[in-house]
Amino acid sequence: MSMGQRIKVSRRAKGLSLRNLQVRIDNRVTAQAISKYERAESIPTSEVLIALAKALGVSVAYLTSDSEISLKSVDYRKKQLTSKREESQVEAKVLDLLERYLTVEEILGLPTIARDVPRDAPWHVFHDVVEAEQAAHSLRRHWGLGIDPIPNLVELLEERGIKVLSMPLSNIDGLTASVRREDRSVATVIVINKRDWGERQRFTAAHELGHIVLDVAPKIDDEKAAHRFAGAFLMPAETLRAEIGKHRLSIGLRELFDLKAIFGVSVQSLTYRCKDLGIFSNSLFRQLFKEFSRRGWRRPPYREPGAMDGEEPKRFERLCFRALAEDAISQPKAAELLGHSVHELLQLMDEPPSVESAPYDV
């Protein structure tokens, strides 16, 4: 990205208008002048550049960097954001966070693009969403997961070369993005909603994984295919049937919640999965969802009793601490990458993480 593009991306990531940014730099230049910087029609003076960097929470070195990264595609889950401005803000934030992630990987000499997906992917879903079931089974086999529940899905995805970011999203559960680098290579990132509870985040991540590895025919609903993939990936049919039986005429909430804890999914996702596999009849399915509605679990924020904590992506933070410990980066650089002051960085390094707070805010 050029300096102008970096100013624009950083401004949008902060949710600032041109006028807002003008005010934040104490009216050193006008909003029109900032717009010209962003369009590369003029260049800010060193004084204005320092003020812009401070207002945007980035370093001057970041704004003047010649590293090239751009969004290749963005696929939002479920529904679009409320406005183009909000979409631009989310996309700018994704670019900003992912560039920091790729930067620390480069500093440590780690592969930044390699993704552990088998040669036969993407898997075709050309006739029925049931084909997504086989795709989930194939990916589990390739990753050596067997048929056991997955303890931490975010860690698994990052181990397999898929970047995962967590950020507050106001009107969507998650998204998948492809980012092109200057060497034309493409990195894949899944973004989950930081505000969602754990089970919902896990299903979103699995759903977005489905979008990455499936090739869905136009006549098939790609959201339903990704949904079926997510259910099969998190709740393998063989394991679920072993736990609940092959066919049930009734089931109590206590048993459903015990299964929820085993698979790390919501009771609603679990019920959908049992219906898809023919374990629950349509009658039992409707009966359960009527009860879920009565208890308010189908309305925002959709949170059920016994909700899990969210699975925070931690690999980026670990890499920053590693680079700092190996003297590959300075304390100010590590603080900039993590979005903290040096004082906050030192506190993070010397204290165990709080159970109630995320290690860094993305």
Side-chain angles (χ1 to χ4, degrees):
M1 289 185 287
S2 66
M3 181 193 299
Q5 289 171 322
R6 287 176 182 276
I7 293 172
K8 186 175 183 178
V9 164
S10 300
R11 174 176 65 79
R12 285 181 167 178
K14 287 283 188 181
L16 299 174
S17 66
L18 290 166
R19 185 78 60 186
N20 293 150
L21 185 53
Q22 173 188 328
V23 172
R24 286 204 176 193
I25 62 172
D26 297 326
N27 299 303
R28 284 182 172 85
V29 294
T30 64
Q32 290 77 9
I34 298 172
S35 179
K36 287 185 177 181
Y37 301 154
E38 294 183 351
R39 298 195 303 271
E41 293 177 0
S42 64
I43 299 174
T45 65
S46 57
E47 178 191 358
V48 172
L49 186 61
I50 291 169
L52 286 170
K54 183 178 179 181
L56 295 171
V58 298
S59 67
V60 171
Y62 169 79
L63 292 181
T64 57
S65 171
D66 59 1
S67 173
E68 287 292 334
I69 180 174
S70 60
L71 276 180
K72 179 174 177 284
S73 64
V74 180
D75 295 314
Y76 295 100
R77 180 184 171 196
K78 197 174 181 180
K79 50 188 174 181
Q80 294 294 317
L81 296 169
T82 54
S83 67
K84 285 293 183 183
R85 179 178 179 182
E86 191 172 5
E87 284 186 21
S88 296
Q89 183 178 347
V90 168
E91 291 171 14
K93 189 74 170 176
V94 169
L95 263 179
D96 176 46
L97 291 170
L98 192 57
E99 182 167 29
R100 288 192 253 161
Y101 202 140
L102 297 177
T103 295
V104 74
E105 284 187 326
E106 285 185 348
I107 289 169
L108 290 170
L110 300 174
T112 59
I113 303 300
R115 211 176 62 192
D116 184 14
V117 176
R119 290 180 181 178
D120 51 347
W123 287 280
H124 300 315
V125 181
F126 284 179
H127 302 97
D128 192 279
V129 293
V130 175
E131 292 169 307
E133 186 101 14
Q134 182 58 42
H137 177 73
S138 297
L139 185 58
R140 270 184 157 266
R141 184 175 61 247
H142 178 75
W143 284 354
L145 300 178
I147 58 173
D148 294 330
I150 299 170
N152 191 312
L153 181 58
V154 166
E155 284 288 331
L156 172 67
L157 294 175
E158 296 215 297
E159 286 170 4
R160 302 297 174 168
I162 297 172
K163 305 292 188 288
V164 182
L165 303 176
S166 173
M167 67 175 67
L169 301 170
S170 62
N171 200 37
I172 57 172
D173 295 320
L175 61 96
T176 303
S178 296
V179 179
R180 190 186 299 281
R181 308 193 67 199
E182 54 191 331
D183 61 2
R184 310 297 291 174
S185 58
V186 176
T188 302
V189 58
I190 289 174
V191 182
I192 56 177
N193 193 339
K194 192 182 184 75
R195 295 189 177 107
D196 280 344
W197 41 292
E199 293 92 329
R200 196 172 180 89
Q201 288 180 345
R202 280 168 59 88
F203 200 89
T204 293
H207 181 105
E208 298 302 334
L209 177 62
H211 282 304
I212 293 169
V213 302
L214 297 178
D215 176 20
V216 184
K219 66 179 181 179
I220 304 292
D221 187 324
D222 62 342
E223 288 297 300
K224 288 184 178 179
H227 200 84
R228 185 63 179 259
F229 174 92
F233 193 73
L234 293 172
M235 297 167 276
E238 186 177 348
T239 305
L240 187 56
R241 288 191 177 106
E243 292 288 345
I244 199 171
K246 294 182 179 180
H247 184 66
R248 297 290 298 271
L249 298 177
S250 66
I251 191 169
L253 287 181
R254 179 57 61 90
E255 186 179 354
L256 278 175
F257 273 86
D258 287 344
L259 291 166
K260 165 193 174 89
I262 291 173
F263 291 99
V265 298
S266 69
V267 293
Q268 296 176 71
S269 294
L270 185 63
T271 302
Y272 264 113
R273 179 68 174 146
C274 288
K275 174 181 173 292
D276 287 341
L277 293 175
I279 297 172
F280 291 171
S281 65
N282 287 333
S283 175
L284 178 56
F285 175 81
R286 289 193 297 269
Q287 176 187 329
L288 287 170
F289 265 81
K290 184 177 180 180
E291 180 64 15
F292 300 157
S293 296
R294 188 184 72 80
R295 291 175 180 266
W297 301 340
R298 301 200 65 201
R299 296 190 298 272
Y302 307 105
R303 193 179 182 93
E304 300 168 352
M308 296 170 50
D309 292 333
E311 293 181 353
E312 286 289 339
K314 296 180 180 178
R315 182 172 180 268
F316 169 64
E317 181 192 62
R318 288 199 305 270
L319 293 181
C320 289
F321 287 156
R322 172 181 163 185
L324 182 57
E326 295 179 1
D327 292 325
I329 57 175
S330 64
Q331 288 183 356
K333 181 62 175 179
E336 178 190 336
L337 288 171
L338 288 167
H340 289 305
S341 67
V342 172
H343 176 70
E344 290 169 336
L345 171 70
L346 295 176
Q347 282 186 318
L348 277 175
M349 293 183 66
D350 293 334
E351 295 179 3
S354 168
V355 174
E356 297 181 355
S357 61
Y360 61 111
D361 184 15
V362 294

